[in-house]
Amino acid sequence: MKNKGCMSAGTIGIALLIIVAVLFFWGKNGYNNFVTKEQNINTKWSNVETVYQKRANLIPNLERTVKSYSKFEQETLTKVIEARSKATSINIDPTNLTEADLAKFQAAQGELSGALSRLMAVVESYPNLKADQQYINFQREFIAIENSIRTETVYYNSAAQEYNTSIKTFPNNILANFTNFKEKPYFKAAAGAEKAPEVFTE
């Protein structure tokens, strides 16, 4: 009877060791998986910031080109410059990105988009400016960057969805809560964003 009891204790001990080992490897693999997916989101966010910065970098050249036409509406250009300043002043920490952070970033970028759209609509009334080679170059670059912005935000949302699904599904959600991995926000389409902007005419 005594030996049987010892064997039972040994069996229990082995079983506990197996359970601990399984939990350890599950936890390690799950944690590493979260880290990999979060790093992927950070990379996608960096790409988003890069294309928005490229757009902002176009504006000084646009400003110089437009200013060469003395009769152009100065207030319209000033709105673009102010919106650019606001958009580039927002610093986002991708490792701690919240819904409020992303909403603030999108609002500032949306304000710049609106100011640019209004400026380009006004340019239509200035045939010489519209035909200026520097302005034509701006148009070409602007269109390419706008397409890149749409592409990179889609890539970011896809990476965020993959990460969020990973940390919210059972039993990963237990590990995610314990290790403080939090859900990432998504870019939300602005009203009418499904339609391509018609800011240029031939």
Side-chain angles (χ1 to χ4, degrees), residues 13 19 24 75-76 93 98 103 106 136 140 148-149 161 165 192:
I19 291 171
F24 171 78
E75 183 181 354
T76 307
D93 176 9
T98 66
Q106 273 199 269
I136 292 170
R140 195 173 294 121
S148 294
I149 287 172
Q161 181 183 35
T165 300

Side-chain angles (χ1 to χ4, degrees), residues 44-54 90-92 94 105:
K44 296 295 189 291
W45 175 258
S46 178
N47 293 342
V48 167
E49 285 190 314
T50 297
V51 291
Y52 273 117
Q53 186 60 51
K54 283 182 179 179
I90 296 176
N91 296 313
I92 301 292
F105 179 85

Side-chain angles (χ1 to χ4, degrees), residues 184-197:
K184 302 292 185 181
Y186 298 103
F187 273 93
K188 296 177 181 177
E194 69 281 357
K195 295 178 65 177

Side-chain angles (χ1 to χ4, degrees), residues 37 39-48 51 147-163 185-187:
K37 285 180 167 58
Q39 288 302 310
N40 186 39
I41 292 174
N42 293 345
T43 299
K44 296 295 189 291
W45 175 258
S46 178
N47 293 342
V48 167
V51 291
N147 289 334
S148 294
I149 287 172
R150 282 189 285 274
T151 299
E152 295 301 340
T153 53
V154 167
Y155 287 160
Y156 167 85
N157 277 355
S158 178
Q161 181 183 35
E162 184 180 354
Y163 166 83
Y186 298 103
F187 273 93

Side-chain angles (χ1 to χ4, degrees), residues 114-131:
L116 280 167
S117 293
R118 287 188 292 276
L119 182 142
M120 288 182 271
V122 171
V123 168
E124 295 299 313
S125 302
Y126 295 81
N128 290 340
L129 174 55
K130 186 181 172 184

Side-chain angles (χ1 to χ4, degrees), residues 155-198:
Y155 287 160
Y156 167 85
N157 277 355
S158 178
Q161 181 183 35
E162 184 180 354
Y163 166 83
N164 289 341
T165 300
S166 179
I167 68 167
K168 290 174 74 176
T169 52
F170 182 82
N172 286 349
N173 60 329
I174 298 172
L175 178 62
N177 288 334
F178 182 72
T179 51
N180 205 32
F181 282 93
K182 296 179 181 178
E183 187 175 358
K184 302 292 185 181
Y186 298 103
F187 273 93
K188 296 177 181 177
E194 69 281 357
K195 295 178 65 177
E198 298 177 4

